Each structure stands twice: as C-alpha cells, then as structure tokens.
C-alpha cells in the first residue's frame, strides 16, 4: 500500500465536507471517509501495476580467479 499523508487526508476530508454543505460537527465522519477513499484508490492503483517476477540465474557473474599480477612496464631508452 502506498503511504497516505495526513495532508492528503486533510485535503480530501475538506473537499468532502465542502461538497456536503459544510455541516458542523461532522469532521470525524469526513476524515474517515477521506481515509477510506484514499486507501481504496491506493489499493486499486497497486493492483494495476503488473508485478513481473525477477529473473534469476544459477550462473555466477563474479569469477573467483586468482588476482592478476601487474606486468612491469618497460622503460624507454634514453638517448
């Protein structure tokens, strides 16, 4: 589920309260309605995202070989 912030709930609750004619004493009802709507929307959005399984392989990408010693550089001839 996606995180729903308190500000998101507050804005939705205000919109519901405003659309309902701004009745006094119904802030708890509008808060809970807003929370339920946002939760349902988040759950619906999560179901729409296709969950593709991660492909795994038995082949190791990391080779466990002995470290390669650096080749000494040849010095250039001085004239």
């Amino acid at each position: 589920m996606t995180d729903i912030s308190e500000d998101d709930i507050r804005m939705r609750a205000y919109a519901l309260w405003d659309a309902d004619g701004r009745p006094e004493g119904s802030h708890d009802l509008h808060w809970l309605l807003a929370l339920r709507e946002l939760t349902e929307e988040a759950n619906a959005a999560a179901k729409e995202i296709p969950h593709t399984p991660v492909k795994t392989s038995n082949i190791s990408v990391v080779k466990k070989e002995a470290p390669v010693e650096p080749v000494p550089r040849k010095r250039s001839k001085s004239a």
Side-chain angles (χ1 to χ4, degrees):
M1 184 177 100
T2 308
D3 292 331
I4 301 170
S5 71
E6 190 172 316
D7 286 336
D8 293 336
I9 301 169
R10 184 179 296 114
M11 289 187 297
R12 179 67 63 95
Y14 180 82
L16 291 170
W17 172 75
D18 191 38
D20 203 21
R22 299 183 176 194
E24 289 191 33
S26 62
H27 57 279
D28 290 336
L29 172 66
H30 291 101
W31 184 272
L32 294 174
L33 287 172
L35 178 59
R36 182 178 8 171
E37 285 183 8
L38 291 170
T39 303
E40 289 173 356
E41 289 173 11
N43 289 338
K47 289 178 184 175
E48 290 176 5
I49 299 172
H51 296 285
T52 55
V54 177
K55 294 182 181 180
T56 59
S57 174
N58 293 335
I59 301 172
S60 176
V61 176
V62 178
K63 294 181 181 178
K64 296 184 180 185
E65 297 177 357
V68 177
E69 295 294 323
V71 178
R73 291 193 211 176
K74 294 182 180 179
R75 295 184 182 218
S76 60
K77 295 181 181 179
S78 301

